[in-house]
Amino acid sequence: MKQPIIIDTDPGIDDAAAISIALNHPAFDLRMITTVNGNVGIEKTTANALKLKQFFTSNVPIHKGASQPLLSNIVDASTVHGESGMNGYNFPEPNYDDLTSMHAVEAMYKELKINENPVTLIPIGPLTNIALLISTYPEVKDYIKEVVLMGGSAGRGNVTPSAEFNIFCDPEAAQIVFNSGLPLTMVGLDVARSSTLSHKTVNELQVLNQTGDMLHHLFKHYKGDDFENGINVYDVYTVLYLLHPEKFDVQEADVQIETNGTLTKGATVTDFKSLFPNCSVVMSIEPSVFKDIFIDALKYCK
Ligand code: RIB
Ligand code: CA
């Protein structure tokens, strides 16, 4: 049976790869894409989601979400993803008739309530929409199977030495989600760093199919950390973990969010020794295994 999922996203070059798989893989029933302020502003992340919807001629609903964090000031990652948030590939202009008028939080609430099977939420941007959803409608937690999120790090950060970007953008939202009691899997920086995609593999994508060509062009403009050694397509690990959980090293931990530290705001303080873990932390995968399952998943795309 297909897994009903919702992707909450701030596209975002690595988001584009995750969305490509979520939209096309037969194991998934993508119920909607919701957008959030993150890599770039909400208008651009929403435009980018529309561009991907059009690229795949998909009928998936797109709902625009939060334009700013709960409390923190807006930061962006346009130096990493480009001014548009998805520099490198010449998408046609988005068709805004494809954008629904319902806010992302309302849309997720309505979808979760009517879905006969619990839905997996896959946030791959800041957690603002998810925190708003479970704070506004706490009863909806009964309809969420699990949350598999890209965010955090058991080790060093990427946007600061302590913090990963998605958590840093909205640490208060992350604190709400990590303490919600929902079944939670943290897909942090660690697993991507264990299996960085080589530039050779990025070049091979170009001849895989149209999606591979599109991602190749985007990845060539993706100025993520360690770019000289390859690229870390962080968001992709969420959907690949859902497809092949057995191929990943996962450890249980209690993860708490630093919201006040001058130097440590947004840190995911990860205690593997806790007797009361609140989430599973995806730590690593063999690089060759990652490459294989990534390419295999992209073969379902056009
Ligand atoms: O730190 C990596 C995360 O921040 C990824 O989700 C990337 O798209 C950015 O949102
Ligand atoms: Ca993202």
Side-chain angles (χ1 to χ4, degrees), residues 80-103:
V80 173
H81 299 264
E83 182 272 334
S84 74
M86 258 178 14
N87 278 19
Y89 186 81
N90 189 21
F91 294 96
E93 281 305 303
N95 175 2
Y96 285 93
D97 294 341
D98 282 344
L99 180 61
T100 65
S101 58
M102 188 180 294
H103 189 278

Side-chain angles (χ1 to χ4, degrees), residues 154-155 186 189-192 194 248-251 270 272 281-285:
M186 177 175 105
L189 301 175
D190 319 275
V191 61
S194 78
F248 292 84
D249 169 41
V250 181
Q251 298 175 33
T270 305
F272 292 110
V281 181
V282 181
M283 291 299 292
S284 66
I285 184 172

Side-chain angles (χ1 to χ4, degrees), residues 10 14-15 39 81 124 150 158 164-166 189 234-235:
D10 62 337
D14 56 330
D15 303 68
N39 283 314
H81 299 264
I124 52 176
M150 194 283 137
N158 60 351
E164 178 278 325
F165 179 81
N166 287 338
L189 301 175
Y234 297 114
D235 292 335

Side-chain angles (χ1 to χ4, degrees), residues 227-276:
F227 185 70
E228 61 281 356
N229 300 320
I231 64 162
N232 294 321
V233 281
Y234 297 114
D235 292 335
V236 169
Y237 292 80
T238 56
V239 291
L240 293 183
Y241 168 74
L242 280 167
L243 291 171
H244 305 284
E246 74 288 352
K247 297 189 184 297
F248 292 84
D249 169 41
V250 181
Q251 298 175 33
E252 301 304 302
D254 178 62
V255 176
Q256 294 301 318
I257 314 299
E258 175 56 68
T259 56
N260 298 313
T262 305
L263 301 175
T264 55
K265 171 191 161 191
T268 43
V269 182
T270 305
D271 180 0
F272 292 110
K273 296 181 177 162
S274 171
L275 299 178
F276 307 100

